[in-house]
Amino acid sequence: MSDFDLVVRGRIVDSQQTAEDGWLAVIDGRIAARGSGMPPAARDTLDERGHWILPGVIDGQVHSGSQANQEGLGWASRAAAAGGITVMVDMPYDDPEPVACAEQLTRKAREVEETCHVDVGLFATVNENHGVAAIPGLIEAGACAFKFSTFEAAPGRFPRIEEDLLAELFTLIAPSGLVCGVHNQMQELTRKNINRLIEAGDTGWDAFLRAHPPLVEDLATALIYEIGAQTGARAHPVHVSTSRGFELCEMYRKAGHKASIETCIQYLMLNHEEHTRRFGAKTKHYPPIRPKAETEKLWEHIAKGHCTFVSSDHVSWGLERKANPNVFRNSSGGPGLETLLPAFWTGAIGRGLAPSLVVQQLSHNPAKHFLLDDRKGDFALGQDADFVVLAQERYRYDPSSSLSAVTWSSFEGMEFTARVKATYCRGQSVFDQGKILNKPGYGRFLRPRPSTQSIY
């Protein structure tokens, strides 16, 4: 009689090391034992020797509901599984109304457990309808983070939160230990720059970058950290594309403040000269895709351990939202769930960085950040058996077979050096060689653990 439900063999990578001939043993969906060499007996054995076995990816920035009746949590979770992602942390800016009260968050949690193929944590926010008074209820309902913005991206759905209200919100949230994530963009500077370019008829593919110079982003990043320092909250700009942003974070960290930082895979792997020139508004993100010299500086911060984690900022806009010759009239963002892991692996390993660094940035660190590390993010005994089988393979990415709601990508044609072969969530096979294997509703809504004084 076997001792375990499942044993998986392969090159086991955790946040500290790689076991070239390693194994993991699973009981009841959790890691029960691990080692190297000959594994113990099990009811089922998955022999993936020659392939990498990594903890399931945690994508800390997913926008599944930004466009009504288009993608949604369930559909996005299919693309997540295809990308080796076993936890999506979904943003609150759903269309037509953001998640800003306990009832809305509870309703969205039910949607997770009715439609999703992988596990999901949920952001919450504030709006005029429910106000600051709704924050305690959102914490009680299980929000694992809060998201605000210094810029109005969409009236009502994605509002600008002015500095005094931002400080009030940070103060209210700080005792919970939950992070205060903020979209970092100075509104007045942005609008002034855009208006000036439009008046000059300067609206082509390269105008978006010039409308958003580093100062627009860096001033907002500094503002977020200073409000965090004043209130004692965990301050977190959600998409940093400049080296100066990382310098600011290090400055606040060294002063003892609860500062964290995130960049997105597009700011590491795409650049203005090559990819924006080729794809135009498809690469329109906020912040903009920067010149190659700046992307290489970001990799230096990754290598030094300055980055908290890397995310996708996934949103599945239809191409009709990306086709206007006036770049300013197109939507910002693009699909990214299926490219996060293979792109980051390609960039990191290609620069001589260790496989364990990939685990730190895509699994271990985001689990800690969202207070999910009692269950997720690594291969510690007792944690959920979330893992991805990654095959070494050189190929050019083709989005035409994507499991997302759209089949385009600004990573189209990029050469990757690893392919997601299979994804397991809590010991169960979710995705294997192009096919979703589990039923909608397998995914669980994830509440954060109680906070401690030290997150990092």
Side-chain angles (χ1 to χ4, degrees):
M1 185 174 180
S2 61
D3 295 325
F4 301 103
D5 299 330
L6 171 69
V7 162
V8 56
R9 301 185 71 179
R11 306 170 83 177
I12 308 294
V13 186
D14 63 21
S15 62
Q16 300 300 316
Q17 61 190 351
T18 299
E20 291 291 339
D21 183 20
W23 54 264
L24 302 171
V26 178
I27 296 177
D28 294 332
R30 294 188 176 91
I31 305 294
R34 57 179 298 185
S36 296
M38 184 61 64
R43 186 187 65 209
D44 296 309
T45 299
L46 183 66
D47 190 343
E48 295 290 355
R49 282 175 290 179
H51 294 149
W52 304 91
I53 311 297
L54 281 66
V57 170
I58 298 172
D59 191 344
Q61 191 171 177
V62 178
H63 297 263
S64 72
S66 291
Q67 188 174 347
N69 304 314
Q70 197 255 9
E71 184 169 56
L73 283 164
W75 200 338
S77 74
R78 293 168 53 85
I85 294 164
T86 53
V87 176
M88 300 190 306
V89 188
D90 202 66
M91 285 292 176
Y93 297 118
D94 296 345
D95 185 8
E97 186 178 8
V99 177
C101 72
E103 181 183 356
Q104 290 171 316
L105 192 131
T106 300
R107 187 185 314 127
K108 193 168 181 178
R110 286 198 299 269
E111 182 185 349
V112 168
E113 300 200 334
E114 291 170 357
T115 68
C116 286
H117 295 265
V118 299
D119 294 344
V120 179
L122 296 177
F123 275 87
T125 191
V126 68
N127 70 354
E128 289 187 356
N129 290 347
H130 302 287
V132 175
I135 297 295
L138 287 161
I139 295 171
E140 179 66 24
C144 69
F146 283 85
K147 171 75 179 291
F148 309 113
S149 181
T150 59
F151 181 85
E152 183 180 84
R157 184 178 69 82
F158 203 139
R160 163 166 155 70
I161 306 300
E162 295 188 357
E163 291 77 11
D164 56 346
L165 179 54
L166 204 56
E168 182 181 354
L169 290 162
F170 275 39
T171 300
L172 185 59
I173 293 165
S176 73
L178 298 178
V179 72
C180 297
V182 187
H183 175 111
N184 47 328
Q185 179 177 4
M186 298 302 288
Q187 180 159 298
E188 291 76 12
L189 277 175
T190 298
R191 290 182 172 174
K192 184 186 295 184
N193 290 343
I194 290 174
N195 288 338
R196 174 175 50 80
L197 291 171
I198 290 175
E199 288 173 4
D202 186 0
T203 60
W205 69 271
D206 59 340
F208 190 71
L209 176 67
R210 287 181 285 107
H212 298 81
L215 188 65
V216 169
E217 178 182 341
D218 294 340
L219 284 176
T221 297
L223 183 153
I224 293 159
Y225 286 138
E226 186 57 28
I227 293 176
Q230 296 277 347
T231 61
R234 294 174 57 205
H236 181 82
V238 298
H239 33 44
V240 173
S241 69
T242 69
S243 179
R244 179 58 181 159
F246 282 87
E247 292 170 3
L248 288 166
C249 183
E250 285 301 295
M251 182 176 74
Y252 278 88
R253 279 175 175 165
K254 289 175 180 177
H257 301 297
K258 299 171 185 175
S260 56
I261 192 166
E262 173 185 353
T263 193
C264 304
I265 188 61
Q266 54 267 27
Y267 305 121
L268 295 168
M269 296 299 287
L270 304 180
N271 66 70
H272 179 74
E273 301 95 323
E274 178 184 352
H275 302 98
T276 304
R277 180 182 292 276
R278 177 184 174 192
F279 291 114
K282 286 183 180 179
T283 68
K284 182 185 174 185
H285 291 264
Y286 188 81
I289 302 302
R290 301 290 181 189
K292 184 173 177 58
E294 193 69 26
T295 68
E296 290 305 318
K297 290 179 182 178
L298 297 191
W299 277 108
E300 293 176 14
H301 288 289
I302 294 284
K304 292 175 181 176
H306 294 168
C307 187
T308 307
F309 66 95
V310 177
S311 65
S312 74
D313 202 5
H314 167 89
V315 59
S316 282
W317 299 127
L319 280 177
E320 71 280 1
R321 305 281 292 259
K322 291 285 193 175
N324 199 299
N326 180 339
V327 69
F328 300 111
R329 293 182 180 172
N330 293 289
S331 297
S332 294
L337 288 164
E338 288 159 288
T339 48
L340 173 58
L341 173 56
F344 188 69
W345 178 275
T346 298
I349 303 304
R351 288 170 172 80
L353 302 178
S356 287
L357 181 139
V358 176
V359 173
Q360 291 164 19
Q361 289 294 314
L362 299 188
S363 306
H364 181 85
N365 292 0
K368 293 179 69 176
H369 183 82
F370 294 108
L371 305 181
L372 303 174
D373 52 318
D374 57 335
R375 292 149 281 169
K376 303 290 185 180
D378 223 322
F379 288 145
L381 300 187
Q383 288 195 320
D384 289 350
D386 292 0
F387 62 89
V388 53
V389 179
L390 198 63
Q392 287 191 170
E393 181 180 341
R394 191 174 294 273
Y395 63 101
R396 293 195 177 276
Y397 180 64
D398 178 2
S400 64
S401 59
S402 169
L403 297 189
S404 178
V406 295
T407 53
W408 67 270
S409 171
S410 52
F411 289 88
E412 180 181 352
M414 182 174 289
E415 186 174 80
F416 292 155
T417 58
R419 187 189 296 274
V420 174
K421 181 174 182 283
T423 304
Y424 282 67
C425 182
R426 288 179 275 113
Q428 295 296 311
S429 181
V430 177
F431 171 85
D432 188 83
Q433 300 186 78
K435 295 182 180 180
I436 297 294
L437 300 180
N438 68 345
K439 294 183 181 299
Y442 178 78
R444 290 177 180 170
F445 167 59
L446 301 176
R447 289 174 168 268
R449 63 165 172 80
S451 67
T452 58
Q453 289 298 311
S454 178
I455 303 298
Y456 303 110

